[in-house]
Amino acid sequence: MRKTFIASDLHLNPGEPVPPVVVRFAELAKVADAQIVLAGDIFNELPHGLKAWQTPEGKYTIAEYERVFPYVVRIQGNHDPMVWLREFALGNNLILHGHQFTEWQFLGLVAPGFTEFMVRHFPKQWYGFSKRMGWIPSKWQTTIPGKELDNYHKVLNYVWAEALGEAQQRSVRIIMGHTHHVATLLAGSEVWDCGDLRDGSYIK
């Protein structure tokens, strides 16, 4: 059986080249003759807006991504502007992004429209707010402000619990991203979280 490398959460921004750690992942998969599955949040529609990906900067980043990843299975995440697969079955493994397991699934419908409205009518305020929130970082980082850390851990545990329940119900192993945390969970079923490719984490 052919090997498979699974990663998620590249979160590429318009005008950004593919980070070296991501290029290295693609090279390792090529050497191993492995299939690559990218489990969502490859590009950031949020908070930039869909039109940002139609600009020269957006087209540059898409072209760079396609150069590094010419042949991959792409699963849609909650940040992606393109519509791809919602999930991908590989033997007894079910690969998906993981945002399906959050408490605020309705935001997946509301957030893109709100983003487009803010980008069009209040761009200065929106981008300023996004930078303060760390959604448009000047330097990529995965640290979380201390006051938000407890709430984040609660969300993390909720997402993993929901994923374990789904895995048990469907009798599969779920491989996911979304949380940016590496984990192997065993509790009546099995869930693997591949973490954050920008940090160099993936599953093979």
Side-chain angles (χ1 to χ4, degrees):
M1 180 181 293
R2 189 182 181 190
K3 294 180 180 178
T4 302
F5 283 25
I6 306 166
S8 73
D9 295 279
L10 282 70
H11 287 281
L12 294 171
N13 297 300
E16 177 185 23
V18 177
V21 66
V22 177
V23 174
R24 178 60 177 161
F25 164 77
E27 291 172 344
L28 289 172
K30 184 177 181 179
V31 169
D33 190 29
Q35 173 182 227
I36 295 176
V37 179
L38 296 179
D41 280 2
I42 299 168
F43 300 99
N44 277 337
E45 176 182 352
L46 303 176
H48 300 285
L50 184 58
K51 289 185 178 179
W53 292 101
Q54 300 164 359
T55 64
E57 292 80 9
K59 291 177 180 179
Y60 161 77
T61 298
I62 291 172
E64 282 293 291
Y65 158 80
E66 291 177 343
R67 178 183 63 81
V68 175
F69 294 107
Y71 305 107
V72 296
V73 176
R74 299 180 293 196
I75 296 169
Q76 186 177 17
N78 53 305
H79 282 256
D80 290 311
M82 296 80 169
V83 177
W84 296 316
L85 296 175
R86 180 175 172 83
E87 58 186 39
F88 178 68
L90 187 66
N92 194 48
N93 300 299
L94 183 65
I95 307 168
L96 41 72
H97 182 56
H99 63 294
Q100 299 92 330
F101 305 124
T102 60
E103 294 178 282
W104 49 80
Q105 296 179 32
F106 73 95
L107 283 179
L109 300 175
V110 176
F114 176 74
T115 297
E116 295 301 328
F117 175 84
M118 292 299 291
V119 167
R120 181 175 180 180
H121 297 285
F122 304 100
K124 184 177 180 180
Q125 293 88 340
W126 175 244
Y127 287 123
F129 174 74
S130 297
K131 287 178 180 178
R132 289 195 300 274
M133 293 297 293
W135 298 341
I136 306 178
S138 55
K139 182 178 180 182
W140 186 264
Q141 55 182 7
T142 56
T143 54
I144 302 170
K147 64 180 181 179
E148 299 175 5
L149 196 56
D150 288 343
N151 286 336
Y152 186 78
H153 284 157
K154 291 176 183 177
V155 171
L156 193 63
N157 289 331
Y158 179 89
V159 168
W160 283 340
E162 290 293 303
L164 283 165
E166 182 79 3
Q168 187 169 26
Q169 183 178 2
R170 299 175 67 171
S171 299
V172 295
R173 176 196 292 129
I174 285 180
I175 301 176
M176 58 178 281
H178 185 59
T179 69
H180 297 252
H181 283 262
V182 177
T184 300
L185 310 168
L186 303 170
S189 54
E190 193 169 353
V191 171
W192 294 0
D193 195 322
C194 53
D196 184 332
L197 185 52
R198 283 186 179 259
D199 289 338
S201 59
Y202 59 92
I203 291 172
K204 62 179 180 178

